[in-house]
Amino acid sequence: MAVDYLSAINRQGSGLNISEIVDSLVEAETAPQVNRIQKDIDNRNAAISGYALVANELGKLKTFTESLNGSSAFSVSSSSSSIDVKVNNQADAKEFSAEVSVNALAKAQTLEFSGFSSKNATINLGSIAIDFGSWTDNTFSINNAKVSENINVTSANNTLSGLADSLSAIDGVNATVTDKGDGTFSLIVNSDTGEKNALRLSVTEDSSDSGLSVFDTSTNNASKQVVAAQDASINLNGVAVTRETNTVIDLIDGYEFKLNSVTSSAVSVTSTTDKASAFATINEFVNMYNTVASTISNLTQTGIEGQEKGVLARDITVQSIQRSLRSIITSELPGFGDDGRYLSELGVKTMRDGSISISESDFNKAFEREPILFDVVVNSIASSDNPLVSASQSSSVLIPTPGAYDFIVGDDGTATLGGVSLSESTLSDGTKQYMSISGDTKGLKLNVSGSVSSATVYFGQSLADKLTTFIEDIVSATGDLEKSKSRANSLISEYNENKAAMEAKVESIRARYMSQFSAMEAAVSGFNKTGEFLTGFIDSMKPNK
């Protein structure tokens, strides 16, 4: 109870507790507005916490979907560490069993030019032509699939390290200067691995500055060569094959073989579909998605039918996220062949509350029928209907639009994909490589071996990648959740300003009431004094007895 000092001092006043009356009047006039403002602040703070919870759950789902990239429904094994094998193209991979031997590893040619006094020793002027090909004794055969290069040695690069830098700038050549430890330095030049990638250096000396011919190998390759270039020699199920590198991606379709060492006997390599592992992956995805869906559902409950109202009830942003997630889960996934694919084909069912479910028996039936359905969920795939055209996509920046595109090669060798012109290059083995950098096909790379005039190229974006892209946009610094959080913070600032203004208004109202009641007290006090005077006056007029 408030102490009424005014009434305590003025004992001739009304006797009412003026402070308590004023407090009650001020509260009755201002409390509804103050409470409403505070409720708005509390609601916005709760909404911000809700946005943070949604962002956190979406972030967990994004981490999981990102981890799915590269997952395989195949279990691949090798009986020896000499050979590592993994799936590198889900679209082409199939079950297999093979016996593989490595008789020789691919090697790069190594040339050494020795006897220099320092890393930056001055060399003579002139030019060096670099050809690619193979050496047989002292006979060189040019590899026409690779373009010859030329280096001019001028005052700008006429040091040993300067020449190393110029050589290393050429694709297929790597050069370094090495301290031998005996007071001399050597220029070490390496080619790419593969017999046909060896180097021939042909020097033309400057007429006024002879001596650059110490780097010529056109007639004395054996005297400079430390290691000869060679192909990897492999035996696959009794068939002898060679490859330029020790990482082989075209031995068995869909698989990458890494050759680590020569084998003393055949290595057993197998790949089988693993239903149990594939189901565990999909089931974990279902559980992760349901966790997010449940969190959003609880936050957006409207409070009808006995439900507890969620802190984001009727929030447009989060309701939109909820609808988008459900749409992604149920929508067509194009680009995995001529017909669109759906998550439901894998046995995943959508429930009335927006959650999804899967049974192992339904999954196994679908998976046995079409193992590619697993990849529809976890792996984005580029593929082609022409066995001579290999499609791939690896850029994290250039992402194609899912779908099917016509690949057309003109008579002049130029090519288009989906009507978009492609850049062209030739690999060392003669394979034509085409790249799209614009339009709906941007990021697609095609390797063409043989004569091809047309093909249909497909790009299918997996459900996991589709979710990852969506969540990245939503939780980014400029995404919908951050915008909603910023709006909520702006509203809280406005509400706090209104609250401060109302608090100032409370003091003004209090002062007004106190002034009015003070005047009343003064009047009452005056009336009481007048009453006392009149009472005394009347009493004095009475006759004395």
Side-chain angles (χ1 to χ4, degrees), residues 136-157:
T136 303
D137 296 328
N138 281 322
T139 302
F140 186 77
S141 300
I142 288 182
N143 180 357
N144 292 317
K146 303 191 73 170
V147 178
S148 297
E149 300 285 349
N150 192 76
I151 292 175
N152 290 317
V153 181
T154 67
S155 58
N157 64 342

Side-chain angles (χ1 to χ4, degrees), residues 126-278:
S127 64
I128 304 175
I130 298 95
D131 298 310
F132 301 90
S134 58
W135 286 97
T136 303
D137 296 328
N138 281 322
T139 302
F140 186 77
S141 300
I142 288 182
N143 180 357
N144 292 317
K146 303 191 73 170
V147 178
S148 297
E149 300 285 349
N150 192 76
I151 292 175
N152 290 317
V153 181
T154 67
S155 58
N157 64 342
N158 66 328
T159 63
L160 199 61
S161 59
L163 178 58
D165 291 340
S166 296
L167 287 167
S168 294
I170 298 172
D171 188 26
V173 182
N174 180 60
T176 58
V177 178
T178 299
D179 185 344
K180 296 280 285 184
D182 59 1
T184 66
F185 291 77
S186 291
L187 174 67
I188 308 297
V189 182
N190 294 299
S191 70
D192 284 343
T193 59
E195 181 181 336
K196 294 182 179 179
N197 292 321
L199 307 173
R200 180 178 67 180
L201 278 57
S202 303
V203 172
T204 301
E205 294 186 336
D206 187 298
S207 59
S208 62
D209 188 24
S210 61
L212 190 63
S213 59
V214 295
F215 299 105
D216 191 290
T217 65
S218 59
T219 59
N220 61 345
N221 177 70
S223 66
K224 304 297 183 183
Q225 179 174 275
V226 178
V227 178
Q230 73 176 30
D231 290 336
S233 176
I234 309 165
N235 187 289
L236 174 64
N237 292 330
V239 179
V241 295
T242 59
R243 292 293 185 271
E244 288 185 347
T245 71
N246 294 313
T247 300
V248 184
I249 61 174
D250 59 354
L251 195 62
I252 296 178
D253 289 345
Y255 294 88
E256 176 183 292
F257 286 70
K258 184 179 179 183
L259 313 180
N260 300 315
S261 61
V262 172
T263 60
S264 57
S265 60
V267 174
S268 295
V269 181
T270 61
S271 177
T272 58
T273 53
D274 188 344
K275 286 188 296 185
S277 176

Side-chain angles (χ1 to χ4, degrees), residues 232-501:
S233 176
I234 309 165
N235 187 289
L236 174 64
N237 292 330
V239 179
V241 295
T242 59
R243 292 293 185 271
E244 288 185 347
T245 71
N246 294 313
T247 300
V248 184
I249 61 174
D250 59 354
L251 195 62
I252 296 178
D253 289 345
Y255 294 88
E256 176 183 292
F257 286 70
K258 184 179 179 183
L259 313 180
N260 300 315
S261 61
V262 172
T263 60
S264 57
S265 60
V267 174
S268 295
V269 181
T270 61
S271 177
T272 58
T273 53
D274 188 344
K275 286 188 296 185
S277 176
F279 173 74
T281 298
I282 300 301
N283 191 51
E284 187 175 2
F285 166 76
V286 168
N287 292 334
M288 288 292 297
Y289 175 84
N290 284 340
T291 298
V292 175
S294 176
T295 297
I296 294 178
S297 180
N298 290 335
L299 290 171
T300 56
Q301 286 182 157
T302 57
I304 62 175
E305 298 180 357
Q307 296 175 331
E308 182 180 353
K309 187 176 181 180
V311 298
L312 296 175
R314 296 185 176 87
D315 185 277
I316 296 175
T317 296
V318 177
Q319 287 179 340
S320 175
I321 293 173
Q322 186 180 50
R323 288 192 300 271
S324 295
L325 286 172
R326 290 175 178 175
S327 176
I328 290 172
I329 287 295
T330 58
S331 294
E332 176 189 19
L333 295 165
F336 292 94
D338 293 324
D339 300 320
R341 309 314 299 256
Y342 294 86
L343 179 62
S344 59
E345 293 180 81
L346 202 54
V348 177
K349 299 177 181 178
T350 302
M351 314 307 288
R352 291 185 63 184
D353 63 357
S355 64
I356 56 178
S357 67
I358 187 172
S359 72
E360 189 166 4
S361 60
D362 289 342
F363 172 85
N364 287 341
K365 291 175 184 177
F367 182 75
E368 288 172 0
R369 185 174 62 253
E370 291 185 276
I372 187 65
L373 290 173
F374 175 82
D375 296 300
V376 170
V377 178
V378 302
N379 290 307
S380 294
I381 294 177
S383 60
S384 163
D385 67 351
N386 190 321
L388 298 180
V389 179
S390 173
S392 62
Q393 192 280 326
S394 58
S395 173
S396 60
V397 178
L398 300 177
I399 308 297
T401 301
Y405 301 96
D406 291 329
F407 172 60
I408 306 296
V409 181
D411 294 337
D412 59 355
T414 59
T416 61
L417 182 61
V420 177
S421 296
L422 305 177
S423 62
E424 178 192 348
S425 61
T426 302
L427 303 181
S428 59
D429 62 357
T431 298
K432 291 285 186 181
Q433 187 173 88
Y434 297 93
M435 183 76 182
S436 175
I437 58 174
S438 62
D440 290 343
T441 61
K442 61 182 179 295
L444 284 174
K445 181 168 62 177
L446 308 179
N447 286 354
V448 179
S449 54
S451 177
V452 173
S453 60
S454 65
T456 300
V457 174
Y458 304 94
F459 177 72
Q461 184 182 35
S462 71
L463 179 62
D465 283 347
K466 195 172 182 179
L467 281 169
T468 297
T469 300
F470 170 73
I471 295 172
E472 282 178 347
D473 291 339
I474 291 296
V475 302
S476 70
T478 58
D480 290 347
L481 283 175
E482 191 62 33
K483 290 177 182 177
S484 293
K485 178 182 175 182
S486 296
R487 285 194 295 268
N489 280 320
S490 296
L491 287 173
I492 289 174
S493 296
E494 292 180 17
Y495 296 150
N496 281 325
E497 290 175 3
N498 294 339
K499 185 178 180 182

Side-chain angles (χ1 to χ4, degrees), residues 6-151:
L6 179 62
S7 298
I9 294 172
N10 183 16
R11 296 184 179 278
Q12 291 184 328
S14 65
L16 300 173
N17 189 327
I18 302 303
S19 295
E20 188 175 276
I21 293 172
V22 168
D23 286 343
S24 297
L25 290 171
V26 170
E27 183 177 1
E29 185 173 338
T30 62
Q33 299 176 61
V34 172
N35 291 339
R36 185 172 63 251
I37 293 172
Q38 187 59 52
K39 183 177 180 180
D40 288 338
I41 292 174
D42 293 342
N43 286 342
R44 289 303 93 199
N45 279 322
I48 290 173
S49 298
Y51 295 141
L53 181 57
V54 172
N56 183 59
E57 292 300 320
L58 287 173
K60 292 178 182 177
L61 178 58
K62 174 176 173 286
T63 299
F64 177 72
T65 55
E66 287 177 327
S67 72
L68 293 179
N69 188 34
S71 297
S72 176
F74 293 93
S75 175
V76 185
S77 64
S78 170
S79 64
S80 170
S81 60
S82 295
I83 304 174
D84 292 330
V85 187
K86 67 177 182 179
V87 175
N88 77 328
N89 190 323
Q90 305 290 338
D92 294 338
K94 293 179 177 62
E95 291 185 321
F96 77 89
S97 177
E99 298 293 311
V100 183
S101 300
V102 180
N103 302 315
L105 292 176
K107 294 181 181 179
Q109 181 192 34
T110 301
L111 302 171
E112 181 183 10
F113 303 93
S114 59
F116 294 90
S117 60
S118 71
K119 184 175 182 178
N120 294 308
T122 300
I123 61 175
N124 303 97
L125 307 180
S127 64
I128 304 175
I130 298 95
D131 298 310
F132 301 90
S134 58
W135 286 97
T136 303
D137 296 328
N138 281 322
T139 302
F140 186 77
S141 300
I142 288 182
N143 180 357
N144 292 317
K146 303 191 73 170
V147 178
S148 297
E149 300 285 349
N150 192 76
I151 292 175

